[in-house]
Amino acid sequence: MGRSGAVGEIYETPDTPEVAGFIGRRNLLEGRVDSAEGGTVQVALGKTGQRLKVAGTGTTGAPATVGLRSERVTLTDRADAPQDGTVNVLRARIEQCSYTGARFEYELSVGDLRVHAESPVRHTDGEINLLIRPDDCLLYPETV
């Protein structure tokens, strides 16, 4: 039982992007720290023009990678997206959808970035919102 706790910790909070990819599927989104204040960092994602709030600390202008498990991404229609700022809303395009028997697996594009997500619901091709809680993201600041 002691080892299952360690595996759970590695899965939920891996120390590096390499470890994150070793256990389970994790999205690794490249970007730059746009702002940092009060334990929250806003990361400008690639060339998407979109930003993602993440719990953590960072230096404005520094490169960063955001780690996010595919099961923590919620897909929803534009009309269902919350507007209160407590949840990140990214606009994405569905590139591929596969049915696995228990869920649908999605390959999505957010500008120049690729995102993998899972959902019990089949969404049609086209544009969709990704809802992402800041606490479900891990920030990996780039180190020199």
Side-chain angles (χ1 to χ4, degrees):
M1 280 238 272
R3 291 179 90 45
S4 66
V7 171
E9 287 176 34
I10 291 170
Y11 182 83
E12 294 297 334
T13 56
D15 290 335
T16 66
E18 293 79 20
V19 172
F22 181 70
I23 296 181
R25 180 175 263 173
R26 181 175 290 275
N27 295 294
L28 296 172
L29 308 175
E30 304 292 329
R32 290 206 168 276
V33 175
D34 195 41
S35 65
E37 183 180 322
T40 301
V41 173
Q42 189 160 329
V43 177
L45 298 173
K47 299 174 184 171
T48 68
Q50 299 187 65
R51 287 163 176 67
L52 191 61
K53 287 184 196 173
V54 181
T57 60
T59 304
T60 301
T65 300
V66 176
L68 174 66
R69 292 280 180 210
S70 59
E71 69 270 13
R72 301 286 170 90
V73 178
T74 301
L75 284 72
T76 187
D77 295 330
R78 182 180 293 260
D80 296 335
Q83 302 297 319
D84 61 5
T86 59
V87 176
N88 293 293
V89 180
L90 298 179
R91 197 73 180 141
R93 172 168 290 286
I94 298 172
E95 300 296 339
Q96 184 177 356
C97 176
S98 302
Y99 181 60
T100 65
R103 66 183 180 272
F104 294 92
E105 292 185 354
Y106 293 88
E107 292 296 329
L108 306 141
S109 59
V110 177
D112 60 327
L113 302 175
R114 292 288 181 250
V115 175
H116 182 267
E118 300 171 7
S119 175
V121 178
R122 168 76 165 105
H123 295 277
T124 58
D125 294 338
E127 301 258 327
I128 195 160
N129 285 324
L130 309 182
L131 306 182
I132 302 167
R133 294 177 1 155
D135 290 344
D136 285 337
C137 300
L138 292 176
L139 181 66
Y140 298 108
E142 295 294 324
T143 56
V144 178

